[in-house]
Amino acid sequence: MSKTDALQNIIDNSRNIVFFGGAGVSTESGIPDFRSVDGLYNQKYDYPPEQILSHTFFVNNTSEFYRFYRDKILCLDKKPNKAHFKLAELEKAGRLSAVITQNIDGLHQAAGSQNVYELHGSILKNYCMNCKKFYSAEFIKASEDIPLCECSGIIKPDVVLYEESLDDKTVSGALSAIQNADTLIIAGTSLTVYPAAAFVRYFSGNKLVLINRDPTPMDEKADLVFREKVGELLDKIKVN
């Protein structure tokens, strides 16, 4: 039996799959990851991306933050790929109960997934720091310099920056999903970014599947490990 057939067999015999994904899930949609050789963290800017995407930098250098954010993070022209669509199909068929993502691009929902836990927030949600009024990503993209609310408050993307805490409700939902899963598929993540990487420790189900280009700290504990692109692999799976 091939490894792909083994994955098909696991999915066929699972009733409560949870998918935990990172940046590698969206790279096939043309969104660069952060830590690969050609990722955002290895490109040259006036400041390191880690610094720009921090709470302190947002507060103290808001204009420079938004220059980088519009240029590199606000990818509104990107579309879901085969991985996103296959996960939505698995959810619709009753096989997959939740998607937990470290991505902020909203592509899982665009593909049709309903139960998505966005650990790091979403570029599609933005709010005034003063009056909490909601603004779309399109508004942020079209604005110049620092986007301001009609009340003159600064608008902030609803994304978790460095130095900020994850949303308690999102974390609780994600952990509950992992604890109740019979199969956990981890894909496109190095499992080195905390606290999200620690979530997988809550899994006590039957099968653990890892799909990632590079080795991860969980490889030895996995039932199956793939070094393939996430979308290309999942596209081979038939949903029965």
Side-chain angles (χ1 to χ4, degrees):
M1 180 186 294
S2 71
K3 286 174 64 177
T4 303
D5 288 338
L7 176 59
Q8 181 73 63
N9 186 57
I10 288 175
I11 290 175
D12 288 345
N13 289 284
S14 299
R15 292 295 176 269
N16 189 1
I17 301 170
V18 167
F19 181 88
F20 182 95
V25 178
S26 291
T27 51
E28 290 169 81
S29 292
I31 297 176
D33 68 6
F34 279 74
R35 289 173 175 79
S36 67
V37 173
D38 55 349
L40 285 180
Y41 278 23
N42 287 289
Q43 297 178 21
K44 304 300 181 185
Y45 296 96
D46 293 340
Y47 302 88
E50 304 100 314
Q51 184 178 348
I52 297 174
L53 296 174
S54 68
H55 179 81
T56 298
F57 194 92
F58 175 81
V59 172
N60 295 330
N61 301 274
T62 313
S63 182
E64 182 68 12
F65 169 90
Y66 267 111
R67 188 172 73 85
F68 176 86
Y69 183 80
R70 289 189 188 92
D71 185 35
K72 294 298 179 184
I73 306 298
L74 209 53
C75 304
L76 301 184
D77 59 333
K78 305 304 182 184
K79 305 298 182 185
N81 62 51
K82 293 175 181 177
H84 298 108
F85 285 117
K86 184 62 67 173
L87 293 169
E89 187 181 355
L90 284 166
E91 181 185 34
K92 188 175 182 181
R95 300 275 181 182
L96 184 141
S97 61
V99 169
I100 302 167
T101 180
Q102 299 176 78
N103 299 334
I104 58 175
D105 49 48
L107 293 183
H108 285 292
Q109 292 92 328
S113 289
Q114 300 294 316
N115 193 27
V116 181
Y117 294 99
E118 297 174 304
L119 296 180
H120 298 152
S122 172
I123 62 171
L124 304 181
K125 303 171 185 176
N126 307 272
Y127 62 91
C128 171
M129 297 175 69
N130 183 37
C131 73
K132 306 304 179 185
K133 181 179 179 179
F134 174 87
Y135 285 88
S136 69
E138 288 76 16
F139 179 89
I140 302 298
K141 190 78 170 179
S143 63
E144 295 183 3
D145 198 23
I146 301 173
L148 298 176
C149 176
E150 55 189 22
C151 78
S152 299
I154 294 175
I155 300 169
K156 181 183 182 296
D158 192 13
V159 299
V160 179
L161 302 175
Y162 288 103
E163 304 167 351
E164 294 180 344
S165 300
L166 303 186
D167 176 71
D168 287 342
K169 185 177 179 181
T170 303
V171 169
S172 296
L175 291 179
S176 177
I178 290 173
Q179 287 174 322
N180 292 310
D182 57 10
T183 294
L184 179 63
I185 300 175
I186 302 172
T189 174
S190 61
L191 292 178
T192 57
V193 179
Y194 286 84
F199 284 25
V200 299
R201 298 175 184 169
Y202 287 80
F203 176 66
S204 59
N206 300 321
K207 298 294 182 180
L208 176 63
V209 178
L210 270 163
I211 311 167
N212 198 54
R213 182 179 58 188
D214 302 313
T216 79
M218 293 293 290
D219 284 7
E220 292 184 359
K221 297 183 179 180
D223 295 277
L224 287 173
V225 177
F226 295 88
R227 297 280 180 252
E228 300 181 41
K229 291 183 177 179
V230 185
E232 290 182 2
L233 175 61
L234 293 185
D235 191 47
K236 300 173 186 175
I237 299 300
K238 296 178 175 62
V239 180
N240 302 314

